[in-house]
Amino acid sequence: MRQSQLFTKTRREAPADEVSKNAQLLIRAGFVYKEMAGVYAFLPLGLRVLENIKNIVREEMNAAGGQELIMTALQRKELWEKTDRWSDEKVDVWFKSTLSAGGDVGFAWSHEEPISDMMKGYLESYRDLPVYVYQFQTKLRNELRAKSGVLRGREFVMKDLYSYTTDAAQHKEIYEAMIQAYQNVYRRIGLGDITFLTFASGGAFTQFSHEFQTVSDVGEDIIYIDTEKRIAVNKEVYTDEVLAHIGLEKEKLIEAKSIEVGNIFDFGGSKSEQLGLMFKDETGALKPVYLGSYGLGITRVMATIAEVMSDDKGLVWPEGVSPFRYHLVSLAGADETLRARADQLYDTLTEAGISVLYDDREQRAGEKFADSDLIGIPFRIVVGKNSTDTSFEVVTRSSGETRTMSKDELLQHS
Amino acid sequence: MRQSQLFTKTRREAPADEVSKNAQLLIRAGFVYKEMAGVYAFLPLGLRVLENIKNIVREEMNAAGGQELIMTALQRKELWEKTDRWSDEKVDVWFKSTLSAGGDVGFAWSHEEPISDMMKGYLESYRDLPVYVYQFQTKLRNELRAKSGVLRGREFVMKDLYSYTTDAAQHKEIYEAMIQAYQNVYRRIGLGDITFLTFASGGAFTQFSHEFQTVSDVGEDIIYIDTEKRIAVNKEVYTDEVLAHIGLEKEKLIEAKSIEVGNIFDFGGSKSEQLGLMFKDETGALKPVYLGSYGLGITRVMATIAEVMSDDKGLVWPEGVSPFRYHLVSLAGADETLRARADQLYDTLTEAGISVLYDDREQRAGEKFADSDLIGIPFRIVVGKNSTDTSFEVVTRSSGETRTMSKDELLQHS
């Protein structure tokens, strides 16, 4: 894309009321726009990052047997009353309204209930199980405070997968597969090294749930990490008894603040019983379907990357999620030869299917480099007086390292 | 995809309260699920159709210079008060709620206001114009009645593009380009022949707006079509004066009921003035930005196809939007050779990147064919006693025509 055509521009300052680093950077670089506290629109650069993250998550969910669908924002009161999660005393983040035609309606903050209720029409026998379904859904949550920028919003995009199985044994298979899928996701989006499978408090059915926690000073959780085993324990279950049970040694653990970037829950058969989601087993007996729930915040992951991978110059996108692979910065000015060289390189790369943001604007070099650092694309190609038809200066955003590369090398994605 | 893995199943009956043909068929075939009146979830088959439609629309919007973004569902009261569209007397489809932190909040039924308000941060000078931005957004509308199935819902997906230009002359260019882009979309999704550019009532700034109307008996509009010129006039502006102005002859026009599948509006500078979206022209004078708005209902288009392209056996998807290209129906039963033949064909086609729904279930042939007709994939490949390793029976869903095709021909997408 030609930057002269991109309607967003970088800005020196974020809105005065924006206190979180992730949102400040994302707003200044033109990735998001703040509609109100905790509510952000995603502009062209930001939407590209979101879609890259979604595609990685989609590939991993599909590989684990997930089937994608999309549920609704509007929710029936009667349904959520069945599981006692309609009243504001039980769930304090509901947005509610009334239908013109009469009656209350809720706006989905979660989807276990509607998706499980729907499954009553499709799951009858053990032969229909297991089933794994997932969606990328905009969740609406009426949070009292919203000061963490894109990390914790009132409106955000989440991937939620639900597993329907016959029993704990069948459940265990997908649960383990999901842990692996999540670890693949964090590795591919660039957060693998600092994200840990974390034991957290369970519910009525299991001793623990599992979270994925990314180490960050702005995190709201505290975890204790075994860096060798690459697992952690959330402070909420950090007792000698739990450590012994998991097989961790207290003296080897490191305390850290962290951001919860995913969580996986084991509901057992309880919610299915409340909703009447039953199946016939091999003997013809009716049993509640065993439910698991697996969340991964897409917008939160994007904000986490902005928060932890940035430096004092701006954002630093990992290759897997960056809006573009190359930032081609032309310093041609009035030099027609240089301009033609930059144009030609842009055409060659884009025709090869490689994503390029081409800074073809007339700004000064200093401004262009500052913008480029702020936007944070992994590799910057500079076309200026020192470049020739065959060799280009390439700067790696994360390290600042400068190399000279040929057109062929650029085409080889290295 | 193997049909044995697909969690949805076809059903003989739609819900008793579902009166519209489009929703009845889409529910029975497993494309959508009815959460409540006018509110539908999109199941794996349905989501694939939606994404195919979106991708076609996206390609045409990008080709016309559109930049994709995504705005928010939650909306600020103050903003909509500026244009006098907050009160329920002025706009009767608002869903509204209150923030935990205090204050009213609305749920977006449209996005002209927030997207134009946002643009104040990016448009300053005539040099920044024109700009075209668009999104695929879930709109929420508190409709009193919802009896048209997926055609007119309380929750639906729309593509809305907004054009920001300096004046009527610059506006005219994108307006004409959008008419062409819309016509490309309707042709590519299979509705081209029965969809007409239609003159409808304008606003304060222009004599006419333009709609795209698809001929259908369930349509809520009445139009008068000149089939030669391929344009129509909405009944609301059907006068001798208007016909003379457009250059149509009354006696050549055919009356028809129709579904509005797209509309394009010219707002002039009025909304920008209300919101304070101004730019500096070449002389340095401040002027309101000229706004155009271009809607295309993604879910409505899908429902329209279901409504007008179906027959008494079920859905009939056009090639451009079908969830899969081929429905591979295996009649192998216990015959291992036939099963291996079907498996191998499935592998060959999917490895070549061709989308296939593979009915590998153990149902009887009659059931499988009935399901296949209901689901409506364009080409059915039958692997049974009459097929060999090199030749397969292929049935075209729309015509019922049967041919014999080789593997190579199947791979050539013909």
Side-chain angles (χ1 to χ4, degrees), chain A residues 1 5-9 11 27 30 32-33 35-36 39-44 47 50 67-76 79 92 95-101 105 107 114 117-119 121-123 128 131 133 140 142-144 154-155, chain B residues 1 5-9 11 27 30 32-33 35-36 39-44 47 50 67-76 79 92 95-101 105 107 114 117-119 121-123 128 131 133 140 142-144 154-155:
Chain A
M1 172 168 214
Q5 301 297 310
L6 184 69
F7 81 86
T8 57
K9 298 175 180 66
R11 32 179 94 185
I27 291 170
V32 308
Y33 166 75
E35 185 65 36
M36 59 176 101
V39 180
Y40 298 88
F42 290 82
L43 306 181
L47 185 59
L50 275 193
Q67 298 180 49
E68 188 176 351
L69 46 72
I70 181 92
M71 300 301 292
T72 67
L74 292 169
Q75 295 289 310
R76 285 174 285 142
L79 177 60
D92 62 2
F95 282 108
K96 294 174 181 170
S97 192
T98 51
L99 290 167
S100 291
V105 68
F107 298 86
D117 193 60
M118 178 189 76
M119 280 296 168
Y122 298 107
L123 305 180
D128 298 326
V131 163
V133 292
L140 299 169
N142 203 346
E143 304 277 359
L144 189 57
R154 294 191 166 109
E155 176 172 345
Chain B
M1 171 167 214
Q5 301 296 310
L6 184 69
F7 81 86
T8 56
K9 298 174 178 68
R11 32 180 92 186
I27 291 171
V32 307
Y33 166 75
E35 186 64 38
M36 60 176 99
V39 181
Y40 298 88
F42 290 82
L43 306 181
L47 185 59
L50 277 194
Q67 298 179 50
E68 190 177 350
L69 47 72
I70 181 92
M71 299 302 291
T72 67
L74 292 170
Q75 294 289 312
R76 285 174 286 143
L79 177 60
D92 62 2
F95 283 109
K96 294 173 182 172
S97 192
T98 50
L99 290 167
S100 290
V105 68
F107 298 86
D117 193 59
M118 178 188 76
M119 280 296 166
Y122 298 106
L123 305 180
D128 299 324
V131 163
V133 292
L140 299 169
N142 203 345
E143 303 277 358
L144 189 57
R154 294 190 165 109
E155 177 172 345

Side-chain angles (χ1 to χ4, degrees), chain A residues 113-399:
Chain A
E113 273 76 351
I115 210 163
S116 299
D117 193 60
M118 178 189 76
M119 280 296 168
K120 285 154 59 178
Y122 298 107
L123 305 180
E124 287 169 31
S125 143
Y126 70 94
R127 288 188 210 90
D128 298 326
L129 298 169
V131 163
Y132 318 130
V133 292
Y134 73 98
Q135 63 176 348
F136 295 97
Q137 179 69 263
T138 300
K139 311 278 186 187
L140 299 169
R141 292 191 186 170
N142 203 346
E143 304 277 359
L144 189 57
R145 284 177 203 82
K147 292 196 178 294
S148 307
V150 185
L151 270 181
R152 180 191 284 278
R154 294 191 166 109
E155 176 172 345
F156 58 93
V157 178
M158 193 173 195
K159 185 282 302 173
D160 38 334
L161 183 140
Y162 303 89
S163 67
Y164 298 91
T165 50
T166 52
D167 53 25
Q170 199 178 66
H171 171 75
K172 194 169 186 294
E173 283 178 43
I174 181 65
Y175 198 84
E176 299 290 340
M178 274 294 126
I179 287 176
Q180 187 58 55
Y182 272 54
Q183 284 170 336
N184 293 348
V185 166
Y186 298 119
R187 179 177 42 74
R188 292 178 64 187
I189 63 176
L191 290 177
D193 290 346
I194 52 169
T195 300
F196 297 90
L197 176 66
T198 303
F199 288 76
S201 58
F205 328 105
T206 51
Q207 192 178 358
F208 302 109
S209 70
H210 289 92
E211 299 169 341
F212 292 87
Q213 296 275 0
T214 302
V215 174
S216 165
D217 283 344
V218 305
E220 294 176 348
D221 284 290
I222 292 176
I223 59 171
Y224 297 88
I225 308 166
D226 183 322
T227 53
E228 229 167 81
K229 295 185 173 168
R230 296 203 57 78
I231 57 177
V233 178
N234 193 308
K235 190 176 186 179
E236 64 192 18
V237 295
Y238 182 65
T239 64
D240 290 340
E241 195 193 336
V242 164
L243 293 184
H245 178 83
I246 304 174
L248 295 179
E249 291 168 61
K250 204 166 198 164
E251 51 274 22
K252 283 194 178 168
L253 304 183
I254 297 166
E255 185 185 277
K257 283 190 174 179
S258 61
I259 300 167
E260 185 188 328
V261 291
N263 54 47
I264 61 183
F265 284 108
D266 179 336
F267 278 97
S270 63
K271 200 173 284 290
S272 295
E273 268 184 284
Q274 289 172 314
L275 294 168
L277 176 58
M278 312 295 280
F279 75 100
K280 275 194 187 142
D281 73 5
E282 289 88 334
T283 69
L286 272 184
K287 286 188 179 166
V289 176
Y290 201 104
L291 172 64
S293 161
Y294 312 79
L296 195 156
I298 302 297
T299 42
R300 175 176 288 192
V301 156
M302 175 173 165
T304 300
I305 295 170
E307 192 78 42
V308 304
M309 315 282 274
S310 52
D311 60 22
D312 54 0
K313 293 179 186 164
L315 297 159
V316 183
W317 295 107
E319 292 181 44
V321 303
S322 177
F324 296 91
R325 177 167 184 83
Y326 294 125
H327 200 171
L328 171 57
V329 176
S330 163
L331 305 180
D335 186 328
E336 289 298 333
T337 311
L338 281 183
R339 176 181 304 266
R341 187 176 293 160
D343 281 355
Q344 202 197 7
L345 181 60
Y346 174 66
D347 290 343
T348 303
L349 292 172
T350 51
E351 277 160 24
I354 300 172
S355 62
V356 182
L357 181 63
Y358 175 22
D359 189 350
D360 59 341
R361 303 172 304 162
E362 307 210 337
Q363 263 82 344
R364 283 172 301 126
E367 279 179 60
K368 289 189 165 205
F369 290 148
D371 276 358
S372 178
D373 283 337
L374 178 58
I375 291 171
I377 292 168
F379 304 104
R380 179 199 300 161
I381 308 170
V382 184
V383 173
K385 300 221 155 37
N386 296 329
S387 61
T388 70
D389 256 342
T390 51
S391 92
F392 299 92
E393 179 190 316
V394 178
V395 185
T396 301
R397 175 65 181 88
S398 57
S399 63

Side-chain angles (χ1 to χ4, degrees), chain A residues 74-89:
Chain A
L74 292 169
Q75 295 289 310
R76 285 174 285 142
K77 176 184 178 181
E78 317 82 75
L79 177 60
W80 290 82
E81 283 179 334
K82 285 189 192 172
T83 57
D84 197 20
R85 297 216 286 179
W86 176 258
S87 84
D88 293 337
E89 288 70 46

Side-chain angles (χ1 to χ4, degrees), chain B residues 305-369:
Chain B
I305 295 170
E307 192 78 42
V308 304
M309 316 280 275
S310 51
D311 59 23
D312 53 0
K313 292 178 186 167
L315 297 159
V316 183
W317 295 108
E319 292 181 44
V321 304
S322 177
F324 296 91
R325 177 166 184 84
Y326 293 125
H327 199 171
L328 171 58
V329 176
S330 163
L331 305 180
D335 186 328
E336 289 297 333
T337 311
L338 282 183
R339 177 182 303 267
R341 188 175 293 159
D343 280 355
Q344 202 196 7
L345 181 60
Y346 174 65
D347 290 343
T348 303
L349 292 172
T350 51
E351 278 160 22
I354 299 172
S355 63
V356 182
L357 181 62
Y358 175 21
D359 189 351
D360 58 341
R361 302 172 305 161
E362 306 211 336
Q363 263 83 341
R364 284 174 300 126
E367 279 180 59
K368 288 189 163 205
F369 290 148

